[in-house]
Coordinates of all heavy atoms in Angstrom, one line a residue:
A1 N 246.6 -30.6 95.4 CA 246.8 -29.2 94.9 C 248.1 -29.2 94.1 O 249.0 -30.0 94.3 CB 246.9 -28.2 96.0
Y2 N 248.3 -28.2 93.2 CA 249.5 -28.0 92.5 C 250.3 -26.9 93.2 O 249.8 -26.1 94.0 CB 249.2 -27.6 91.1 CG 248.8 -28.8 90.2 CD1 247.9 -29.8 90.6 CD2 249.4 -29.0 88.9 CE1 247.6 -30.9 89.8 CE2 249.1 -30.0 88.1 CZ 248.2 -31.0 88.6 OH 247.8 -32.1 87.8
V3 N 251.6 -26.9 92.9 CA 252.6 -26.0 93.5 C 253.4 -25.3 92.5 O 253.9 -25.9 91.5 CB 253.5 -26.9 94.5 CG1 254.6 -26.0 95.1 CG2 252.7 -27.5 95.6
I4 N 253.7 -24.0 92.7 CA 254.6 -23.2 91.9 C 255.9 -23.3 92.6 O 256.1 -22.9 93.7 CB 254.1 -21.8 91.7 CG1 252.7 -21.8 90.9 CG2 255.1 -21.0 90.9 CD1 252.2 -20.4 90.6
N5 N 256.9 -23.7 91.8 CA 258.3 -24.0 92.4 C 259.3 -22.9 91.9 O 259.0 -22.0 91.2 CB 258.7 -25.4 91.9 CG 257.8 -26.5 92.5 OD1 257.8 -26.8 93.7 ND2 257.0 -27.1 91.6
E6 N 260.5 -23.2 92.3 CA 261.6 -22.2 92.1 C 261.8 -21.6 90.7 O 262.1 -20.4 90.6 CB 262.9 -22.9 92.4 CG 264.1 -22.0 92.5 CD 265.3 -22.6 93.2 OE1 266.0 -23.5 92.6 OE2 265.5 -22.3 94.4
P7 N 261.5 -22.3 89.6 CA 261.7 -21.6 88.3 C 260.9 -20.4 88.0 O 261.2 -19.6 87.2 CB 261.3 -22.7 87.3 CG 261.6 -24.0 88.0 CD 261.2 -23.7 89.4
C8 N 259.8 -20.2 88.8 CA 259.0 -19.0 88.7 C 259.7 -17.7 89.2 O 259.4 -16.6 88.7 CB 257.7 -19.2 89.4 SG 256.5 -17.8 89.2
L9 N 260.6 -17.9 90.1 CA 261.3 -16.8 90.7 C 261.9 -15.8 89.7 O 262.8 -16.2 88.9 CB 262.4 -17.3 91.7 CG 261.9 -18.0 93.0 CD1 263.1 -18.6 93.7 CD2 261.1 -17.1 93.8
G10 N 261.5 -14.6 89.8 CA 262.0 -13.6 88.9 C 261.5 -13.7 87.5 O 261.8 -12.8 86.6
V11 N 260.7 -14.7 87.2 CA 260.1 -14.8 85.8 C 258.7 -14.3 85.8 O 258.3 -13.4 85.0 CB 260.2 -16.3 85.3 CG1 259.6 -16.4 84.0 CG2 261.6 -16.8 85.3
K12 N 257.8 -14.9 86.7 CA 256.5 -14.5 86.8 C 255.8 -14.2 85.5 O 255.2 -13.2 85.2 CB 256.4 -13.2 87.6 CG 256.9 -13.4 89.1 CD 257.1 -12.1 89.8 CE 256.0 -11.1 89.9 NZ 256.3 -9.9 90.6
D13 N 255.8 -15.3 84.6 CA 255.3 -15.2 83.3 C 253.8 -14.9 83.3 O 253.3 -14.2 82.3 CB 255.6 -16.5 82.5 CG 255.0 -16.5 81.2 OD1 255.7 -15.9 80.3 OD2 253.9 -17.1 81.0
T14 N 253.1 -15.4 84.2 CA 251.6 -15.2 84.4 C 250.7 -15.9 83.4 O 249.5 -15.8 83.5 CB 251.2 -13.7 84.5 OG1 251.2 -13.1 83.3 CG2 252.0 -12.9 85.5
S15 N 251.3 -16.7 82.6 CA 250.4 -17.5 81.7 C 249.6 -18.5 82.5 O 248.4 -18.8 82.0 CB 251.3 -18.4 80.7 OG 252.0 -17.5 79.8
C16 N 250.1 -18.9 83.6 CA 249.3 -19.8 84.5 C 248.0 -19.2 84.9 O 246.9 -19.8 85.0 CB 250.1 -20.3 85.6 SG 250.8 -19.0 86.6
V17 N 248.1 -17.9 85.3 CA 246.9 -17.1 85.7 C 245.8 -17.1 84.7 O 244.6 -17.3 85.0 CB 247.3 -15.7 86.1 CG1 246.1 -14.8 86.4 CG2 248.3 -15.6 87.2
E18 N 246.2 -17.0 83.4 CA 245.3 -16.9 82.3 C 244.5 -18.2 82.1 O 243.4 -18.2 81.6 CB 246.0 -16.4 81.1 CG 246.5 -15.0 81.2 CD 247.5 -14.6 80.1 OE1 247.3 -15.2 79.0 OE2 248.4 -13.8 80.4
V19 N 245.1 -19.3 82.3 CA 244.5 -20.6 82.0 C 243.8 -21.2 83.2 O 243.0 -22.2 83.1 CB 245.4 -21.6 81.5 CG1 246.1 -21.1 80.2 CG2 246.5 -22.0 82.4
C20 N 244.0 -20.8 84.4 CA 243.4 -21.4 85.6 C 241.9 -21.2 85.7 O 241.4 -20.0 85.7 CB 244.1 -20.9 86.9 SG 243.4 -21.7 88.4
P21 N 241.1 -22.2 85.6 CA 239.6 -22.1 85.6 C 239.0 -21.6 86.9 O 237.8 -21.2 86.8 CB 239.1 -23.5 85.2 CG 240.2 -24.4 85.7 CD 241.5 -23.6 85.6
V22 N 239.7 -21.7 88.0 CA 239.1 -21.3 89.2 C 239.9 -20.1 89.8 O 239.6 -19.7 91.0 CB 239.1 -22.4 90.3 CG1 238.2 -23.5 89.8 CG2 240.5 -23.0 90.5
D23 N 240.7 -19.4 89.1 CA 241.4 -18.2 89.5 C 242.1 -18.4 90.9 O 241.9 -17.5 91.7 CB 240.5 -17.0 89.5 CG 240.0 -16.7 88.1 OD1 240.7 -16.9 87.2 OD2 238.8 -16.2 88.0
C24 N 242.8 -19.5 91.0 CA 243.4 -19.7 92.4 C 244.9 -19.4 92.4 O 245.6 -19.9 93.3 CB 243.1 -21.2 92.8 SG 244.0 -22.4 91.9
I25 N 245.4 -18.7 91.4 CA 246.8 -18.3 91.3 C 246.9 -16.8 91.5 O 246.4 -16.0 90.8 CB 247.4 -18.7 90.0 CG1 247.2 -20.2 89.7 CG2 248.9 -18.4 90.0 CD1 247.7 -20.8 88.4
H26 N 247.7 -16.4 92.5 CA 247.9 -15.0 92.9 C 249.3 -14.8 93.4 O 250.0 -15.7 93.7 CB 246.9 -14.7 94.0 CG 245.4 -14.9 93.7 ND1 244.7 -13.9 93.0 CD2 244.6 -16.0 93.8 CE1 243.5 -14.4 92.8 NE2 243.4 -15.6 93.2
P27 N 249.7 -13.4 93.5 CA 248.9 -12.3 93.0 C 248.9 -12.2 91.5 O 249.9 -12.5 90.8 CB 249.7 -11.1 93.7 CG 251.1 -11.6 93.8 CD 251.0 -13.1 94.1
T28 N 247.8 -11.7 91.0 CA 247.7 -11.5 89.5 C 248.3 -10.1 89.3 O 248.4 -9.3 90.2 CB 246.2 -11.5 89.1 OG1 245.5 -10.5 89.8 CG2 245.6 -12.9 89.4
P29 N 248.6 -9.8 88.0 CA 249.3 -8.6 87.7 C 248.4 -7.3 88.0 O 249.0 -6.3 88.2 CB 249.5 -8.7 86.1 CG 249.6 -10.1 85.9 CD 248.6 -10.8 86.8
D30 N 247.1 -7.5 88.1 CA 246.3 -6.3 88.5 C 246.1 -6.2 90.0 O 245.4 -5.3 90.4 CB 245.0 -6.4 87.7 CG 244.2 -7.6 88.0 OD1 244.7 -8.5 88.7 OD2 243.0 -7.6 87.6
E31 N 246.7 -7.0 90.8 CA 246.6 -6.9 92.2 C 247.7 -6.1 92.8 O 248.9 -6.1 92.3 CB 246.5 -8.3 92.9 CG 245.2 -9.0 92.6 CD 245.2 -10.5 93.0 OE1 246.2 -11.1 93.2 OE2 244.0 -11.0 93.2
P32 N 247.5 -5.3 93.8 CA 248.4 -4.3 94.3 C 249.8 -4.9 94.8 O 250.8 -4.2 94.7 CB 247.7 -3.6 95.4 CG 246.4 -4.3 95.7 CD 246.2 -5.2 94.5
D33 N 249.8 -6.1 95.3 CA 251.0 -6.7 95.8 C 251.8 -7.5 94.8 O 252.8 -8.1 95.1 CB 250.7 -7.6 97.0 CG 249.9 -8.8 96.7 OD1 249.1 -8.7 95.7 OD2 249.9 -9.8 97.5
F34 N 251.4 -7.4 93.5 CA 252.1 -8.2 92.5 C 253.6 -7.9 92.4 O 254.4 -8.8 92.4 CB 251.5 -7.9 91.1 CG 252.1 -8.7 90.0 CD1 251.8 -10.1 89.8 CD2 253.1 -8.1 89.1 CE1 252.4 -10.8 88.7 CE2 253.7 -8.9 88.1 CZ 253.3 -10.2 87.9
D35 N 254.0 -6.6 92.5 CA 255.4 -6.3 92.4 C 256.2 -6.6 93.6 O 257.4 -6.6 93.6 CB 255.5 -4.8 92.1 CG 255.1 -4.5 90.6 OD1 255.1 -5.4 89.8 OD2 254.8 -3.3 90.4
Q36 N 255.5 -6.9 94.7 CA 256.2 -7.2 96.0 C 256.6 -8.7 96.1 O 257.3 -9.1 97.0 CB 255.3 -6.9 97.2 CG 255.0 -5.4 97.2 CD 253.8 -5.1 98.2 OE1 253.6 -5.9 99.1 NE2 253.1 -4.1 97.9
H37 N 256.2 -9.5 95.1 CA 256.6 -10.9 95.2 C 257.4 -11.4 94.0 O 257.2 -10.9 92.9 CB 255.2 -11.7 95.2 CG 254.5 -11.5 96.5 ND1 254.7 -12.3 97.6 CD2 253.6 -10.6 96.9 CE1 253.9 -11.9 98.6 NE2 253.2 -10.8 98.2
D38 N 258.4 -12.3 94.3 CA 259.2 -12.8 93.2 C 258.6 -13.9 92.5 O 259.1 -14.4 91.4 CB 260.5 -13.3 93.9 CG 261.4 -12.2 94.4 OD1 261.3 -11.0 93.9 OD2 262.2 -12.4 95.3
Q39 N 257.5 -14.4 93.0 CA 256.8 -15.6 92.3 C 255.3 -15.5 92.5 O 254.9 -14.6 93.3 CB 257.3 -16.9 92.9 CG 256.9 -17.2 94.3 CD 257.1 -18.7 94.7 OE1 258.1 -19.1 95.2 NE2 256.1 -19.5 94.3
L40 N 254.6 -16.3 91.9 CA 253.2 -16.4 92.1 C 252.9 -17.7 92.9 O 253.8 -18.6 93.0 CB 252.4 -16.5 90.8 CG 252.0 -15.1 90.3 CD1 253.2 -14.2 90.0 CD2 251.1 -15.2 89.0
Y41 N 251.7 -17.8 93.5 CA 251.4 -18.9 94.4 C 250.0 -19.5 94.1 O 249.1 -18.8 93.7 CB 251.4 -18.4 95.9 CG 252.5 -17.5 96.2 CD1 252.4 -16.2 96.1 CD2 253.7 -18.1 96.7 CE1 253.4 -15.3 96.5 CE2 254.8 -17.2 97.0 CZ 254.6 -15.8 96.9 OH 255.7 -15.0 97.2
I42 N 249.9 -20.8 94.2 CA 248.6 -21.5 94.0 C 248.0 -21.8 95.4 O 248.6 -22.3 96.3 CB 248.9 -22.9 93.3 CG1 249.3 -22.6 91.8 CG2 247.6 -23.7 93.3 CD1 249.8 -23.8 91.1
D43 N 246.7 -21.4 95.5 CA 245.9 -21.7 96.7 C 245.6 -23.2 96.8 O 244.8 -23.7 96.0 CB 244.7 -20.8 96.7 CG 243.9 -20.9 98.0 OD1 244.1 -21.8 98.7 OD2 243.0 -20.0 98.2
P44 N 246.2 -23.8 97.8 CA 246.0 -25.3 97.9 C 244.5 -25.7 98.2 O 244.1 -26.8 98.0 CB 246.9 -25.7 99.0 CG 247.2 -24.5 99.8 CD 247.1 -23.3 98.9
E45 N 243.8 -24.7 98.8 CA 242.4 -25.0 99.2 C 241.5 -24.9 97.9 O 240.4 -25.4 97.9 CB 241.9 -24.0 100.2 CG 242.8 -24.0 101.5 CD 242.5 -25.3 102.3 OE1 241.3 -25.8 102.3 OE2 243.4 -25.8 103.0
E46 N 241.9 -24.1 96.9 CA 241.0 -23.8 95.8 C 241.4 -24.6 94.5 O 240.5 -24.8 93.7 CB 241.0 -22.3 95.5 CG 240.6 -21.4 96.6 CD 239.1 -21.6 97.0 OE1 238.3 -21.9 96.0 OE2 238.7 -21.5 98.1
C47 N 242.6 -25.0 94.4 CA 243.1 -25.7 93.2 C 242.3 -27.0 93.0 O 242.1 -27.8 94.0 CB 244.6 -26.0 93.4 SG 245.2 -27.0 92.0
I48 N 241.8 -27.2 91.8 CA 241.0 -28.4 91.5 C 241.8 -29.5 90.7 O 241.2 -30.4 90.1 CB 239.7 -28.0 90.7 CG1 240.0 -27.4 89.4 CG2 238.8 -27.2 91.6 CD1 238.8 -27.2 88.5
D49 N 243.1 -29.3 90.7 CA 244.0 -30.3 90.1 C 243.7 -30.5 88.6 O 243.7 -31.7 88.1 CB 243.9 -31.6 90.8 CG 244.4 -31.5 92.3 OD1 245.1 -30.5 92.6 OD2 244.1 -32.4 93.1
C50 N 243.3 -29.5 87.9 CA 242.9 -29.6 86.5 C 244.1 -29.8 85.5 O 244.0 -30.2 84.4 CB 242.1 -28.4 86.0 SG 243.1 -27.0 85.7
D51 N 245.3 -29.4 86.0 CA 246.6 -29.6 85.2 C 246.8 -28.5 84.1 O 247.9 -28.6 83.4 CB 246.6 -31.0 84.6 CG 248.0 -31.5 84.3 OD1 248.8 -31.6 85.3 OD2 248.4 -31.8 83.2
A52 N 245.9 -27.6 83.9 CA 246.0 -26.7 82.8 C 247.3 -25.8 82.9 O 247.9 -25.4 81.9 CB 244.8 -25.8 82.7
C53 N 247.6 -25.4 84.2 CA 248.7 -24.5 84.4 C 250.1 -25.1 84.0 O 251.0 -24.4 83.7 CB 248.7 -24.0 85.8 SG 248.7 -25.3 87.0
V54 N 250.2 -26.4 84.1 CA 251.5 -27.1 83.9 C 252.0 -26.8 82.5 O 253.2 -26.4 82.3 CB 251.4 -28.6 84.2 CG1 252.7 -29.3 83.8 CG2 251.1 -28.8 85.7
E55 N 251.2 -27.0 81.5 CA 251.6 -26.8 80.1 C 251.8 -25.3 79.8 O 252.5 -24.9 78.9 CB 250.6 -27.5 79.2 CG 250.8 -29.0 79.1 CD 252.1 -29.4 78.5 OE1 252.6 -28.8 77.5 OE2 252.8 -30.2 79.1
A56 N 251.0 -24.5 80.5 CA 251.0 -23.1 80.2 C 252.3 -22.4 80.6 O 252.8 -21.4 80.0 CB 249.9 -22.4 80.9
C57 N 253.0 -22.9 81.6 CA 254.2 -22.3 82.2 C 255.4 -22.5 81.3 O 255.8 -23.7 81.1 CB 254.5 -22.8 83.6 SG 256.0 -22.0 84.3
P58 N 256.0 -21.5 80.8 CA 257.2 -21.6 79.9 C 258.4 -22.1 80.5 O 259.3 -22.6 79.8 CB 257.3 -20.2 79.3 CG 256.8 -19.3 80.3 CD 255.7 -20.1 81.0
V59 N 258.5 -22.1 81.8 CA 259.7 -22.5 82.5 C 259.5 -23.7 83.4 O 260.3 -24.1 84.3 CB 260.3 -21.4 83.4 CG1 260.8 -20.2 82.5 CG2 259.3 -20.8 84.4
D60 N 258.3 -24.4 83.2 CA 258.0 -25.7 83.9 C 258.1 -25.5 85.4 O 258.8 -26.4 86.1 CB 258.9 -26.8 83.4 CG 258.7 -27.1 81.9 OD1 257.6 -26.9 81.5 OD2 259.7 -27.6 81.3
A61 N 257.6 -24.5 85.9 CA 257.6 -24.2 87.4 C 256.6 -25.0 88.2 O 256.7 -25.1 89.4 CB 257.5 -22.7 87.7
I62 N 255.6 -25.5 87.5 CA 254.4 -26.1 88.3 C 254.4 -27.6 88.2 O 254.5 -28.2 87.2 CB 253.1 -25.5 87.7 CG1 253.2 -23.9 87.7 CG2 251.9 -26.0 88.6 CD1 252.0 -23.3 87.1
T63 N 254.2 -28.2 89.4 CA 254.0 -29.6 89.5 C 252.9 -29.9 90.5 O 252.5 -29.1 91.4 CB 255.3 -30.3 90.1 OG1 255.5 -29.8 91.4 CG2 256.5 -30.0 89.2
P64 N 252.3 -31.1 90.4 CA 251.4 -31.6 91.5 C 252.2 -31.6 92.8 O 253.4 -31.9 92.8 CB 250.9 -33.0 91.0 CG 251.2 -33.0 89.6 CD 252.4 -32.1 89.4
E65 N 251.4 -31.4 93.9 CA 252.1 -31.4 95.2 C 252.9 -32.7 95.5 O 253.9 -32.7 96.1 CB 251.1 -31.2 96.3 CG 251.7 -31.1 97.7 CD 250.7 -30.7 98.8 OE1 249.6 -30.2 98.4 OE2 251.0 -30.9 99.9
D66 N 252.3 -33.9 95.0 CA 253.0 -35.1 95.3 C 254.1 -35.4 94.3 O 254.7 -36.5 94.4 CB 252.0 -36.3 95.4 CG 251.3 -36.5 94.0 OD1 251.6 -35.8 93.0 OD2 250.4 -37.4 94.0
Q67 N 254.4 -34.5 93.4 CA 255.5 -34.7 92.5 C 256.5 -33.5 92.6 O 257.4 -33.3 91.7 CB 255.0 -34.8 91.0 CG 254.2 -36.1 90.8 CD 253.6 -36.1 89.4 OE1 254.2 -35.6 88.4 NE2 252.4 -36.7 89.3
V68 N 256.4 -32.7 93.7 CA 257.4 -31.7 93.8 C 258.8 -32.3 94.1 O 258.9 -33.2 95.0 CB 257.0 -30.8 95.0 CG1 258.1 -29.8 95.3 CG2 255.7 -30.1 94.8
P69 N 259.8 -32.0 93.3 CA 261.1 -32.6 93.6 C 261.7 -32.3 95.0 O 261.3 -31.3 95.5 CB 262.0 -31.9 92.5 CG 261.0 -31.5 91.4 CD 259.8 -31.1 92.2
E70 N 262.6 -33.1 95.4 CA 263.1 -33.0 96.8 C 263.7 -31.6 97.0 O 263.4 -31.0 98.1 CB 264.2 -34.0 97.0 CG 264.7 -34.2 98.4 CD 263.6 -34.6 99.3 OE1 262.8 -35.5 98.9 OE2 263.5 -34.1 100.5
E71 N 264.4 -31.0 96.1 CA 265.1 -29.8 96.3 C 264.1 -28.6 96.3 O 264.5 -27.5 96.6 CB 266.2 -29.5 95.2 CG 265.6 -29.4 93.8 CD 265.6 -30.7 93.0 OE1 265.4 -31.8 93.7 OE2 265.7 -30.7 91.8
W72 N 262.9 -28.8 95.9 CA 261.9 -27.8 95.9 C 260.8 -28.0 96.9 O 259.7 -27.3 96.9 CB 261.2 -27.7 94.5 CG 262.1 -27.2 93.4 CD1 263.3 -26.6 93.6 CD2 261.9 -27.3 92.0 NE1 263.9 -26.4 92.3 CE2 263.0 -26.8 91.3 CE3 260.8 -27.9 91.3 CZ2 263.1 -26.8 90.0 CZ3 260.9 -27.8 89.9 CH2 262.0 -27.3 89.2
Q73 N 261.0 -28.9 97.9 CA 259.9 -29.2 98.8 C 259.4 -28.0 99.6 O 258.3 -27.9 100.0 CB 260.4 -30.3 99.8 CG 260.3 -31.7 99.2 CD 258.8 -32.2 99.0 OE1 258.0 -31.9 99.8 NE2 258.6 -32.8 97.9
R74 N 260.3 -27.1 99.9 CA 259.9 -25.9 100.6 C 258.8 -25.1 100.0 O 258.1 -24.3 100.6 CB 261.1 -25.0 100.9 CG 261.7 -24.3 99.7 CD 263.0 -23.6 100.0 NE 263.5 -22.8 98.9 CZ 264.2 -23.3 97.9 NH1 264.4 -24.6 97.8 NH2 264.7 -22.5 96.9
F75 N 258.7 -25.2 98.7 CA 257.7 -24.5 97.9 C 256.2 -24.9 98.2 O 255.3 -24.1 98.0 CB 257.9 -24.5 96.4 CG 259.1 -23.6 96.1 CD1 260.4 -24.1 96.0 CD2 258.9 -22.2 95.8 CE1 261.5 -23.3 95.8 CE2 260.0 -21.4 95.5 CZ 261.3 -21.9 95.5
V76 N 256.1 -26.1 98.8 CA 254.7 -26.5 99.2 C 254.2 -25.6 100.3 O 253.1 -25.0 100.2 CB 254.7 -28.0 99.7 CG1 253.3 -28.3 100.2 CG2 255.2 -28.9 98.6
E77 N 255.1 -25.3 101.2 CA 254.7 -24.4 102.3 C 254.7 -22.9 101.8 O 253.9 -22.1 102.3 CB 255.7 -24.6 103.5 CG 255.6 -23.5 104.6 CD 254.2 -23.4 105.2 OE1 253.4 -24.4 105.1 OE2 253.9 -22.4 105.9
I78 N 255.6 -22.6 101.0 CA 255.7 -21.2 100.5 C 254.4 -20.8 99.7 O 253.9 -19.7 99.9 CB 256.9 -21.0 99.5 CG1 258.2 -21.0 100.3 CG2 256.8 -19.8 98.7 CD1 259.5 -21.1 99.5
N79 N 253.8 -21.8 98.9 CA 252.6 -21.5 98.3 C 251.4 -21.3 99.3 O 250.7 -20.4 99.2 CB 252.3 -22.6 97.3 CG 253.0 -22.4 95.9 OD1 252.4 -22.2 94.9 ND2 254.3 -22.5 95.9
A80 N 251.3 -22.3 100.2 CA 250.2 -22.3 101.2 C 250.3 -21.1 102.1 O 249.3 -20.5 102.4 CB 250.3 -23.6 102.0
A81 N 251.5 -20.6 102.5 CA 251.7 -19.5 103.4 C 251.1 -18.2 102.9 O 250.6 -17.4 103.6 CB 253.1 -19.4 103.8
Y82 N 251.2 -18.0 101.6 CA 250.7 -16.8 101.0 C 249.2 -16.6 101.3 O 248.7 -15.5 101.5 CB 250.9 -16.8 99.5 CG 250.3 -15.6 98.8 CD1 251.0 -14.4 98.8 CD2 249.1 -15.6 98.1 CE1 250.5 -13.2 98.1 CE2 248.6 -14.5 97.4 CZ 249.3 -13.3 97.5 OH 248.8 -12.2 96.8
Y83 N 248.4 -17.7 101.3 CA 247.0 -17.6 101.5 C 246.6 -17.6 103.0 O 245.4 -17.5 103.3 CB 246.3 -18.8 100.8 CG 246.5 -18.6 99.3 CD1 247.6 -19.3 98.6 CD2 245.8 -17.7 98.5 CE1 247.8 -19.0 97.3 CE2 246.0 -17.5 97.2 CZ 247.0 -18.2 96.6 OH 247.3 -17.9 95.2
R84 N 247.6 -17.7 103.9 CA 247.3 -17.6 105.3 C 247.5 -16.2 105.9 O 247.4 -16.0 107.0 CB 248.1 -18.6 106.1 CG 247.6 -20.1 105.9 CD 248.1 -21.0 107.0 NE 249.6 -21.0 107.1 CZ 250.3 -21.9 106.4 NH1 249.8 -22.8 105.7 NH2 251.6 -21.9 106.5
R85 N 247.9 -15.3 105.0 CA 248.2 -13.9 105.5 C 247.0 -13.3 106.0 O 245.9 -13.5 105.5 CB 248.8 -13.1 104.4 CG 250.1 -13.7 103.7 CD 250.5 -12.9 102.5 NE 249.3 -12.6 101.7 CZ 249.3 -11.6 100.8 NH1 250.2 -10.8 100.7 NH2 248.2 -11.5 100.0
G86 N 247.2 -12.3 106.9 CA 246.1 -11.5 107.3 C 244.9 -12.2 107.9 O 243.8 -11.8 107.8
Ligands
SF4_101 FE1 244.5 -23.7 88.5 FE2 244.2 -26.1 87.5 FE3 246.6 -25.2 87.9 FE4 245.1 -25.9 90.0 S1 245.9 -27.3 88.4 S2 246.3 -24.0 89.8 S3 243.1 -25.3 89.2 S4 245.2 -24.4 86.5
F3S102 FE1 255.4 -18.4 87.2 FE2 255.2 -20.0 85.2 FE3 253.0 -18.9 86.2 S1 256.8 -18.5 85.5 S2 253.7 -17.0 87.0 S3 254.4 -20.3 87.3 S4 253.4 -19.2 84.1

């Protein structure tokens, strides 16, 4: 799966949402909790590793899970945790 890392914080460009073929990036701007989050998250169970979101992100926030830099390792869990709510 791919992971959205720290550069997304406060940016939330959402270009990644538009290019993802399986709609596994949330919350999208039309979802009610969009404003409550500082970043977006990739669903590790749904991501098909297509790589489309990497080039789409203007701040290079997205990496494959096995290429998340050491200082951003916590974002692996941060992305997964969003999809375990409720
Ligand atoms: Fe979506 Fe592809 Fe990015 Fe996974 S790698 S989040 S499937 S655009
Ligand atoms: Fe964030 Fe980049 Fe997507 S800033 S919302 S990961 S396009």
Side-chain angles (χ1 to χ4, degrees):
Y2 279 46
V3 174
I4 298 182
N5 298 288
E6 189 165 78
C8 183
L9 292 174
V11 178
K12 293 166 59 182
D13 178 81
T14 75
S15 293
C16 56
V17 172
E18 292 166 33
V19 300
C20 181
V22 294
D23 296 329
C24 71
I25 306 176
H26 299 272
T28 61
D30 60 350
E31 288 173 337
D33 62 336
F34 182 80
D35 289 339
Q36 299 165 27
H37 292 270
D38 291 335
Q39 71 164 94
L40 273 60
Y41 315 94
I42 292 171
D43 186 340
E45 303 286 328
E46 299 296 327
C47 174
I48 60 170
D49 298 343
C50 78
D51 206 59
C53 54
V54 173
E55 283 299 313
C57 179
V59 293
D60 296 330
I62 306 176
T63 64
E65 182 173 343
D66 62 3
Q67 292 175 34
V68 175
E70 191 61 40
E71 66 269 29
W72 294 343
Q73 278 295 319
R74 68 188 185 281
F75 285 90
V76 175
E77 169 60 18
I78 287 170
N79 279 245
Y82 178 80
Y83 296 96
R84 288 201 300 268
R85 302 172 313 157

